[in-house]
């Protein structure tokens, strides 16, 4: 299993979530986070924004579904400008459902 | 070293942390997150199974319906919501992972959907900032 942590623009959250839901991935966790990237925030005239608001989506999917989920997120959150976000993928050794105590 | 990410009910947080202290897991990071699972966040079904997918009436109850509940092209038939959850991040080395999983499961199990998930991830290394210790010494 793979854990996919996607950091996307807050205004694109709806698009991404709907697309994932339509593709059969309704289960996810989201958190509102603040972050910055290579550009160290945003400079608008004299004002410097150090941390920018983002939404982090956290999904755990099967190995074979990971590329599909990543392409869905990319397609729906891409604007072509800086600040589109990142997707991180990490290995999950095991997962358990608390209700039944069984491994997935 | 393993990282455990447990998504649990917010109301069970105190109880879970107390139970974890009892088995020797004292360091925990808590995030407040929103989530939904296989039911697609459909918490209304358990409250009122006869409730139709009437989005308007649900919007009155809940201040913030999700985009899915407002969207016409949603694949889910009933209104869905983001359910507030707590995400516990625990890195363990000495205490066995199975014991932590068992403890969290025991405290959080109600038998109804929404009890949460536990994910186990490998951790490459850890470093205590105060002393510069790395590896197992950093998390003991």
């Amino acid at each position: 299993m793979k854990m996919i942590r996607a950091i996307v623009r807050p205004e694109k959250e709806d698009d991404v979530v709907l697309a994932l839901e339509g593709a059969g991935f309704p289960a996810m966790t989201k958190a509102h986070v603040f972050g910055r990237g290579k550009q160290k925030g945003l400079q608008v005239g004299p004002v410097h924004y150090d941390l920018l608001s983002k939404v982090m989506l956290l999904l755990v999917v099967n190995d074979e579904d990971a590329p599909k989920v990543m392409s869905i997120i990319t397609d729906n959150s891409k604007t072509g400008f800086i600040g589109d976000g990142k997707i991180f993928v990490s290995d999950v050794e095991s997962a358990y459902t608390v209700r039944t105590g069984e491994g997935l | 070293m393993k990282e455990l990410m447990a998504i649990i009910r917010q109301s069970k947080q105190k109880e879970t942390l107390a139970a974890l202290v009892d088995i020797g897991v004292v360091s925990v990071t808590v995030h407040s997150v929103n989530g939904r699972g296989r039911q697609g966040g459909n918490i209304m079904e358990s409250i009122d199974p006869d409730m139709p997918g009437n989005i308007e009436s649900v919007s009155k109850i809940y201040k913030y319906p999700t985009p899915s509940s407002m969207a016409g092209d949603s694949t889910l038939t009933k209104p869905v919501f983001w359910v507030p959850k707590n995400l516990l991040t625990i890195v363990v080395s000495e205490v066995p992972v199975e014991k932590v999983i068992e403890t969290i499961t025991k405290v959080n199990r109600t038998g109804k959907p929404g009890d949460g998930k536990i994910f186990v991830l490998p951790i490459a290394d850890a470093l205590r900032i105060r002393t510069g210790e790395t590896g197992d010494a950093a998390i003991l």
Side-chain angles (χ1 to χ4, degrees), chain B residues 44 49-58 69 76-80:
Chain B
M44 295 309 287
D50 297 329
M51 191 171 137
N54 185 345
I55 285 125
E56 250 178 69
S57 64
V58 177
S69 62
L76 300 172
T77 51
K78 290 204 171 181
V80 296

Side-chain angles (χ1 to χ4, degrees), chain A residues 49-85:
Chain A
Y49 298 94
D50 192 31
L51 294 171
L52 305 167
S53 171
K54 300 281 166 196
V55 169
M56 185 173 80
L57 297 175
L58 193 151
L59 291 93
V60 175
V61 295
N62 291 328
D63 285 352
E64 61 269 23
D65 291 332
K68 193 181 166 194
V69 170
M70 282 157 70
S71 70
I72 290 169
I73 296 171
T74 318
D75 292 348
N76 286 282
S77 60
K78 192 172 179 177
T79 66
F81 298 99
I82 56 169
D84 276 355

Side-chain angles (χ1 to χ4, degrees), chain B residues 67-90:
Chain B
S68 327
S69 62
M70 297 181 283
D73 57 345
S74 168
T75 52
L76 300 172
T77 51
K78 290 204 171 181
V80 296
F81 303 93
W82 290 102
V83 185
K85 295 275 167 190
N86 275 356
L87 172 66
L88 307 184
T89 309
I90 309 160

Side-chain angles (χ1 to χ4, degrees), chain B residues 22-62:
Chain B
D22 287 344
I23 61 160
V25 179
V26 285
S27 31
V28 176
T29 310
V30 181
H31 307 260
S32 180
V33 296
N34 294 308
R36 50 190 221 181
R38 205 181 297 159
Q39 290 78 22
N42 188 359
I43 53 173
M44 295 309 287
E45 198 156 30
S46 57
I47 299 167
D48 181 6
D50 297 329
M51 191 171 137
N54 185 345
I55 285 125
E56 250 178 69
S57 64
V58 177
S59 305
K60 281 175 195 160
I61 305 168
Y62 287 87

Side-chain angles (χ1 to χ4, degrees), chain A residues 3 5 14 17-18 21-22 26-31 58 60 90-101 104, chain B residues 2 5 7 33-37 67-68 74-76 82 101 105 108-109 111-113 115-122:
Chain A
M3 176 176 285
R5 271 174 276 208
D14 299 6
V17 170
L18 270 178
E21 192 182 295
M28 67 187 89
T29 305
K30 72 165 181 176
L58 193 151
V60 175
S90 42
D91 282 321
V92 176
E93 290 185 347
S94 47
Y96 301 85
T97 304
V98 173
R99 174 162 52 93
T100 56
L104 295 178
Chain B
K2 301 279 178 224
M5 295 177 86
I7 298 163
V33 296
N34 294 308
R36 50 190 221 181
S68 327
S74 168
T75 52
L76 300 172
W82 290 102
I101 290 169
T105 313
N108 284 281
R109 185 180 291 176
K112 290 176 194 152
D115 279 353
K117 291 268 186 299
I118 303 172
F119 303 120
V120 184
L121 289 80

